[in-house]
Amino acid sequence: MQVTIQRREAPVPEPLEIEGQNRLCLEDLAVGRRFSSATHVIDAAQIKAFAGQFDPQPFHLDDETAKGTLFAGLAASGWHTAAITMRLLVESGLPLAGGIVGAGGEINWPKPTRPGDVLRVVSEIEQVTPSRSRPDRGTVRVRSETRNQRDEVVQVLIANLIVPRRATSQVPSELAAG
Amino acid sequence: MQVTIQRREAPVPEPLEIEGQNRLCLEDLAVGRRFSSATHVIDAAQIKAFAGQFDPQPFHLDDETAKGTLFAGLAASGWHTAAITMRLLVESGLPLAGGIVGAGGEINWPKPTRPGDVLRVVSEIEQVTPSRSRPDRGTVRVRSETRNQRDEVVQVLIANLIVPRRATSQVPSELAAG
C-alpha cells in the first residue's frame, strides 16, 4: 500500500515549518493554538490492504459484501483511520520537538471513512502541563479531528503527548510510554 | 508485511469456537466474562514496515538511531500494537456476533512493544447495556489488555462495542459508528 500525502489546496490557517529547528517545545504551545495537516486520499485498495493485515472483517474487505452489513458499503477500519491520522500528524500536522510520543488517549469514530475520502487533521492544544518531577519535559493534551472533504469529522483523538521543554532543548532521555 | 498468527502453547482459560454459528450475542455476555486470543510474534521488519507507512519517526524505523532516543531502542508504533490487537481480537480473541464494531474508547500504552515480543490479548467484559431505543442491539464495554511473553501489559484498550441481541439474531442494519 502506497501512502500518498498531498498538500491542501486551500490555505491552512497556520502554516508551519516542519523541519527540526522550527519544531515546537512545551513553551511554544498555548491552549487554543491550532494546527492543520496536509491531506491524504484514501481509496478502496488501501482500505482492503490494511483490513487484510489487521482487521479482516467483511465491511472492510469487499465492496459487495459490505453493502449488506451495518456499514452499508465499504468502510475503512477505525485503526486505519487512526494510522493515517498519525502519518498526517507526524509529517505535517503537529511539529513537536522530540516527535509525537503519546502515552495514550481517547479515540472515537463518529462516521465511517469511505473510499475516495480526502482526510486531513485539525488539531488544537487543550492543556499544557509542565512535569513537576522532570524539568526537561511536560505533557500536552491535544484534540485532533480527522475530517473528510465535506468537513465531516470521521475521528476524534484526544491524546496526551510528551513534549520537551526549551530550557534543556533535549529530547527526554527516559520514558516508559509506548 | 506478513502477519503471523500462532496458537498459544498454554491452554487458554476459555477456548471458544470462532465460527459464525457460535459467535456471541449480547445475551451471552456477562460482566466478568474473560477471553484470551491466539498470539502474534512481532519482529523488527514488521515494526519498520508499519512505521514507514504510518508513523515515520526514528524510534520506530531504525535500530541504531532508536538507541539514542527516549525509547532507548527500536519500539513499535502504538498504532501498530493497536492494529495487531485488533487482528487478534477479530480472529480469535472476541467472537462476537456481527463482528467487532467499535464506536470508540480509551487506549494507553504503558510499555513499548519490542521486536521479538509475543503478543496476545486478554479481554474482560466490563459492562453490558441493552439499547433503550433499538431492541435489536446493545453495547458492551470491553477491557482488552495486550500482553507480551513476560505478561507485561503493553496496551490497554477499553472499547465500546455494538453487539446484536439474540432476539432478532440479525446484525443491526443501521449504525453511525465508524
Side-chain angles (χ1 to χ4, degrees):
Chain A
M1 172 173 54
Q2 183 63 37
V3 173
T4 310
I5 304 289
Q6 299 186 339
R7 288 280 150 193
R8 296 182 65 199
E9 288 78 16
V12 294
E14 193 168 1
L16 284 157
E17 177 57 55
I18 195 89
E19 293 305 314
Q21 66 271 29
N22 292 312
R23 286 176 176 250
L24 304 173
C25 291
L26 197 73
E27 292 82 350
D28 305 315
L29 300 169
V31 171
R33 184 161 182 180
R34 287 166 66 90
F35 303 89
S36 191
S37 79
T39 60
H40 173 79
V41 182
I42 190 171
D43 61 24
Q46 293 169 37
I47 288 172
K48 295 171 191 175
F50 186 97
Q53 285 190 316
F54 297 117
D55 193 348
Q57 302 194 89
F59 28 82
H60 304 317
L61 283 170
D62 182 81
D63 306 70
E64 283 307 310
T65 313
K67 289 178 186 171
T69 71
L70 70 179
F71 286 99
L74 195 71
S77 169
W79 303 109
H80 191 186
T81 302
I84 290 170
T85 297
M86 188 62 181
R87 170 96 188 211
L88 290 170
L89 289 173
V90 166
E91 292 203 330
S92 65
L94 204 53
L96 301 181
I100 299 181
V101 180
E106 295 169 38
I107 191 164
N108 286 280
W109 298 287
K111 289 183 75 77
T113 297
R114 301 289 191 181
D117 275 1
V118 183
L119 302 177
R120 65 195 168 90
V121 186
V122 178
S123 299
E124 181 169 336
I125 306 295
E126 290 197 333
Q127 196 173 59
V128 180
T129 311
S131 170
R132 292 183 190 176
S133 58
R134 295 174 182 269
D136 63 346
R137 73 186 69 176
T139 57
V140 293
R141 191 177 70 217
V142 185
R143 178 188 175 91
S144 293
E145 293 186 352
T146 307
R147 298 183 188 171
N148 64 22
Q149 66 279 14
R150 291 179 296 279
D151 217 33
E152 297 165 334
V153 177
V154 295
Q155 180 184 285
V156 179
L157 171 67
I158 298 173
N160 298 307
L161 305 176
I162 315 292
V163 183
R165 298 187 68 166
R166 191 174 300 285
T168 65
S169 76
Q170 292 295 311
V171 174
S173 59
E174 187 193 330
L175 185 74
Chain B
M1 170 175 56
Q2 185 61 38
V3 173
T4 309
I5 304 288
Q6 300 185 337
R7 287 280 150 192
R8 296 181 64 198
E9 288 77 17
V12 294
E14 193 167 2
L16 284 158
E17 178 56 56
I18 195 90
E19 294 305 313
Q21 65 272 29
N22 292 312
R23 285 174 177 251
L24 304 173
C25 291
L26 197 73
E27 291 83 350
D28 305 314
L29 300 169
V31 171
R33 184 162 181 178
R34 289 165 66 91
F35 303 89
S36 191
S37 78
T39 60
H40 173 80
V41 182
I42 190 171
D43 61 24
Q46 292 169 36
I47 288 173
K48 294 172 191 175
F50 186 97
Q53 285 189 318
F54 296 117
D55 192 350
Q57 301 195 87
F59 28 82
H60 303 318
L61 283 170
D62 183 82
D63 306 71
E64 283 305 311
T65 312
K67 290 179 184 170
T69 71
L70 70 179
F71 286 99
L74 194 70
S77 169
W79 302 110
H80 191 185
T81 302
I84 290 170
T85 297
M86 188 62 182
R87 170 98 188 209
L88 290 171
L89 288 174
V90 166
E91 292 203 331
S92 65
L94 204 54
L96 301 181
I100 298 181
V101 180
E106 296 169 37
I107 191 165
N108 285 281
W109 299 287
K111 290 184 76 79
T113 297
R114 302 290 191 180
D117 276 1
V118 183
L119 303 178
R120 65 195 169 91
V121 186
V122 179
S123 298
E124 182 169 334
I125 307 296
E126 291 196 332
Q127 196 172 58
V128 180
T129 311
S131 170
R132 292 183 191 177
S133 57
R134 294 173 183 269
D136 63 347
R137 72 187 69 178
T139 58
V140 292
R141 191 176 71 215
V142 185
R143 176 188 177 92
S144 293
E145 294 185 352
T146 307
R147 298 183 188 171
N148 64 23
Q149 66 280 16
R150 292 178 297 278
D151 218 34
E152 297 165 335
V153 177
V154 297
Q155 180 183 287
V156 180
L157 171 66
I158 298 173
N160 299 306
L161 304 178
I162 314 293
V163 183
R165 297 186 70 166
R166 191 174 300 284
T168 65
S169 77
Q170 290 296 310
V171 174
S173 60
E174 185 194 330
L175 186 74

